[in-house]
């Protein structure tokens, strides 16, 4: 469910669309197996208050989890930066290799000049 929606308001909108289109959303595993997340009151047609409560609680827990993960990632990057490390992947090509290729390209006789390849004389 956390990958389906972005927040509490969004999941309730999704559930309304599912109800409008007469579709059901049921969980088959996890914390609440076989729970119908689109169950409505038979007379009013409104989402059952218990279902709404469960959906809001689960969504709030998902939002909390995402926020905590974001904070921990940020804290880890700041700690690594304080130690002199840099976040992200290491380059696949070393800086020396990149510089050598750049230099060879610039010094190559057929290097591009003015947006067009340099022409060689036919001699």
């Amino acid at each position: 469910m956390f990958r389906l929606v972005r927040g509490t308001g969004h999941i309730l909108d999704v559930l309304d669309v599912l109800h409008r289109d007469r579709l059901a959303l049921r969980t088959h595993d996890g914390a609440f197996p076989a729970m119908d997340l689109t169950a409505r009151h038979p007379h009013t047609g409104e989402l059952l208050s218990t279902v709404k409560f469960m959906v809001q609680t689960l969504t709030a827990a998902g939002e909390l989890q995402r926020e905590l993960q974001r904070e921990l990632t940020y804290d880890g990057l700041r700690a690594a930066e304080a130690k002199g490390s840099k976040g992200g992947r290491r380059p696949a090509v070393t800086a020396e290799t990149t510089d050598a290729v750049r230099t060879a390209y610039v010094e190559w006789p057929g290097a591009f000049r003015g947006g067009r390849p340099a022409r060689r004389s036919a001699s």
Side-chain angles (χ1 to χ4, degrees):
M1 180 170 62
F2 299 137
R3 293 182 183 177
L4 174 66
V5 296
R6 299 186 191 280
T8 308
H10 190 209
I11 185 65
L12 295 175
D13 291 342
V14 168
L15 293 176
D16 284 340
V17 169
L18 291 173
H19 175 68
R20 182 194 68 210
D21 295 343
R22 298 176 189 231
L23 298 169
L25 177 63
R26 291 186 174 94
T27 59
H28 292 284
D29 60 0
F32 304 97
M35 180 179 181
D36 182 2
L37 298 176
T38 54
R40 301 280 172 158
H41 191 277
H43 299 294
T44 64
E46 293 180 3
L47 194 63
L48 289 178
S49 56
T50 53
V51 171
K52 190 173 183 178
F53 173 76
M54 291 305 299
V55 167
Q56 289 173 330
T57 303
L58 291 172
T59 307
E63 289 175 4
L64 175 64
Q65 179 185 8
R66 277 193 304 274
E67 291 298 321
L68 288 173
Q69 186 173 9
R70 184 179 295 131
E71 289 173 14
L72 291 172
T73 300
Y74 181 81
D75 291 346
L77 288 171
R78 295 294 79 78
E81 189 177 302
K83 291 181 183 177
S85 296
K86 184 175 135 182
R89 283 187 186 172
R90 289 191 170 92
V93 178
T94 64
E96 293 82 21
T97 304
T98 304
D99 291 341
V101 169
R102 209 175 264 131
T103 302
Y105 176 78
V106 170
E107 293 174 357
W108 182 53
F112 288 89
R113 302 214 191 320
R116 307 180 116 203
R119 294 184 179 231
R120 291 186 175 195
S121 62
S123 53

